[in-house]
Amino acid sequence: MELHFFKYQGTGNDFVIIDNRQHIFPKNDTKLISKLCDRRFGIGGDGLMLLENDNMSDFKMVYFNADGKEGSMCGNGGRCLVAFAHYLGIFKKETTFNAVDGLHFATISGKQVKLKMIDVDKIHQKPNHSFLDTGSPHHVQLVDELEKFDVPKEGKKLRYGIYGESGSNINFVEQKAEDAFRVRTYERGVEDETYSCGTGVTAAALTMFELGKTAAKQIHIETIGGDLTIYFEKHNGKYTNIFLEGPAEQVFKGTITCSI
């Protein structure tokens, strides 16, 4: 079959996106998804997303990791899918879509997409790290000299050593200013460092506030792929009205011949 696809990126986190409103894509074909995400034998991407119809919202997001398995929520992926839905004319300025972790509200202005994330009830504090779920599970750990830090090696060690086969994303954080941090992330499913991780930088921002490293509720995050901003409120120990904002843009589109 010939498959029409779009390639999007949000702060260097890149995705293959397919309009699947006509249910043309064989989403149980793990090998095909993995091949499409392969940077040498396919299109290349940190993940693949399908845009589908939804009876509760404007559209549905179905997300697959680069290994071909259906994944948990992806923040930068969600922002890119919002940009794609806007490109398709599904909405004008604001939208609500359904994802694996529930409904998400988002707005778009030019290339900037602001995405509402799920509420966070609990941040688990450990001796050397924190753990929380922002739609995906995240380990957050402060380190010194992040630029020199071996993220793939240390991330893999923690991902399997602490969290086993099901795994967790591993985020390493360095403070740059009172309201600014740098984050590098090892992502499960990709099994490598990515240029950016939306749910990861969200987890990092909330954790830094929880630890008292910042009093700001608008936090700027620097990633390898670009800058993101996280907004939130905290009431009675619960983080609410969490938003992830940053650029998302179409890189290219095309067709690829697939064997199914």
Side-chain angles (χ1 to χ4, degrees), residues 103-216:
L103 293 173
H104 288 265
F105 172 77
T107 61
I108 189 167
S109 177
K111 293 182 179 180
Q112 289 291 114
V113 177
K114 191 173 183 179
L115 171 66
K116 192 173 191 293
M117 309 296 284
I118 64 167
D119 293 346
V120 173
D121 296 325
K122 180 69 176 175
I123 299 177
H124 303 275
Q125 302 293 349
K126 306 294 182 181
N128 298 312
H129 69 274
S130 300
F131 179 82
L132 65 160
D133 194 312
T134 53
S136 290
H138 283 279
H139 170 114
V140 179
Q141 182 173 324
L142 276 160
V143 299
D144 295 322
E145 297 187 313
L146 181 57
E147 189 172 349
K148 299 177 182 178
F149 196 78
D150 193 339
V151 170
K153 178 183 176 182
E154 298 302 321
K156 184 176 182 179
K157 188 188 300 182
L158 293 169
R159 179 255 193 267
Y160 287 102
I162 297 178
Y163 301 101
E165 188 61 34
S166 59
S168 171
N169 302 287
I170 310 295
N171 304 274
F172 300 104
V173 184
E174 182 178 36
Q175 188 157 11
K176 308 298 287 184
E178 199 282 328
D179 63 346
F181 298 83
R182 188 168 185 226
V183 179
R184 293 175 65 187
T185 303
Y186 178 96
E187 285 199 53
R188 66 172 186 170
V190 179
E191 304 308 333
D192 202 352
E193 181 179 9
T194 56
Y195 274 41
S196 176
C197 176
T199 54
V201 299
T202 302
L206 299 183
T207 300
M208 294 303 103
F209 185 87
E210 185 78 4
L211 292 175
K213 300 296 181 182
T214 179

Side-chain angles (χ1 to χ4, degrees), residues 35-104:
K35 183 178 180 181
L36 292 173
C37 290
D38 193 288
R39 299 189 184 281
R40 292 175 177 82
F41 299 101
I43 302 161
D46 292 327
L48 180 145
M49 289 183 290
L50 305 177
L51 185 147
E52 297 185 343
N53 290 317
D54 185 68
N55 56 16
M56 295 175 60
S57 62
D58 291 335
F59 58 94
K60 182 180 180 181
M61 169 185 177
V62 183
Y63 179 76
F64 298 89
N65 289 317
D67 61 6
K69 298 175 184 176
E70 191 164 355
S72 48
M73 180 57 186
C74 176
N76 284 332
R79 293 191 309 99
C80 285
L81 200 66
V82 167
F84 179 56
H86 184 262
Y87 166 81
L88 293 177
I90 293 175
F91 74 97
K92 290 184 178 180
K93 292 183 179 179
E94 59 183 49
T95 186
T96 301
F97 68 94
N98 212 348
V100 67
D101 62 342
L103 293 173
H104 288 265

Side-chain angles (χ1 to χ4, degrees), residues 230-258:
I230 295 87
Y231 311 81
F232 59 88
E233 297 174 9
K234 187 181 182 184
H235 300 289
N236 300 319
K238 182 177 181 179
Y239 290 90
T240 62
N241 290 321
I242 304 167
F243 282 88
L244 169 69
E245 183 177 26
E249 61 181 343
Q250 187 178 131
V251 182
F252 60 88
K253 59 184 177 179
T255 57
I256 187 169
T257 303
C258 307

